[in-house]
Amino acid sequence: MNFKYRARASDGEIIEGYIEADDQRGALNSLKNRGMMVINLNAQSQGSHSSKGKNSSLKYILNMDLGAIFSGGKVPLKTLMIFFRQLATMENAGLSLSASMDVIAGGEKNYALKTALKDIKSRLDRGSPLSQAMSKQKAFNALLVSLVEAGEEGGLLGQALEQSAVLLEKQEQLRSKVRSALFYPAFIMFFAVAILVFFFMYLVPKFQETFTALSIELPTITMIMFDIGNWFSNHWYIIALIFAGIIFALYLLSTNKKTKKYMDKVKLKTPIMKDLIMKSSMARSTRTLSALTAAGVPIVRGLEMAEGTAGNVVIEEGYAELRKSVIRGVSLGDASKQCGIFPVLVSQMMRIGEETGHLDNMLERVAVWYDQELDEQVKATVSLLEPVMIVFVGGIIAVIAVSIFAPITSAIVQLS
């Protein structure tokens, strides 16, 4: 059989070509014996490609069910973490990868992952390495594939799978911390808006009818409140459209390639938010780089992966600049210091890690430190926002109370 391959030579150069072998495993072993790290290896079959594409599309449509629609093709981090932990346990127990895929796929509820595991099993049965089979699935990003590939190369696949599970677990914990920091103020704002809507839509008209029937003189604050209520009742859709427009505009600005960088710069300059973003990004990216370095992935490739997990365009560009400097021969510690994006702690720990030969340990310590800092930041943020939100909601209720009870008090005085 003829196979088309794409591999990295010992000097780091990417090479593409063709190789003859009896099967895919034979081609893979032949390339490894030449000192190459295989990136892609595909059999070149004869026949009409267009016909094959049509048959594949028809097969997909026929096999498609509601599970594909409801899952949306996405696999949650927690689901991936459980999968890697299960696979690591089975690998360490001596169970074959193909049999492990069968067992895990049989009990998997996420449709996207279940489908991916079935395809991976099929590729494993045809002789593909696990990392190459995973690279064909959208459920597994380049970071996870690189960790598995490094484990295969070093003969420590079980350890690499467990390391992938730990990395995913840490990422999910990090995401939960950021969500918890944002949930409280978002809930309070929603509660305040709900109070205002209920007051202006239902209570204001009733009080206005009552006070008009009593023919009493209304204070200025009450008249203003009634005017706002009347306008809101008649033009509520304008407020709804403005609110939806603001959310949609922010979404577009944050996702569009031309404006995303500007929005990310604004986030890094916004009080409270800048600390949350920087600390979460440093914890996530340094832990990624630590895991890849420990697995034996080349530092340049590791920096590329860390760049993809930064979560902020400005920080991503910092990693890209760092990678270019390392390629030019600049040390990691000096390059990160010159970059101007990374905190001093990160630069110092990178320099110490390079000098001592324990870069992975130093980066892991940085990630742990930023995890702890993020915990404190979340607690401090909630503690700071709590009184502010209480005062804000209390102020709204106070204005409403004064505007309503002032004319009631005035009516009681007039009757007496």
Side-chain angles (χ1 to χ4, degrees), residues 182-202:
L182 299 176
F183 174 78
Y184 182 76
F187 174 76
I188 295 297
M189 288 300 297
F190 174 80
F191 181 72
V193 170
I195 289 176
L196 287 175
V197 170
F198 177 76
F199 177 74
F200 285 122
M201 291 290 290
Y202 297 101

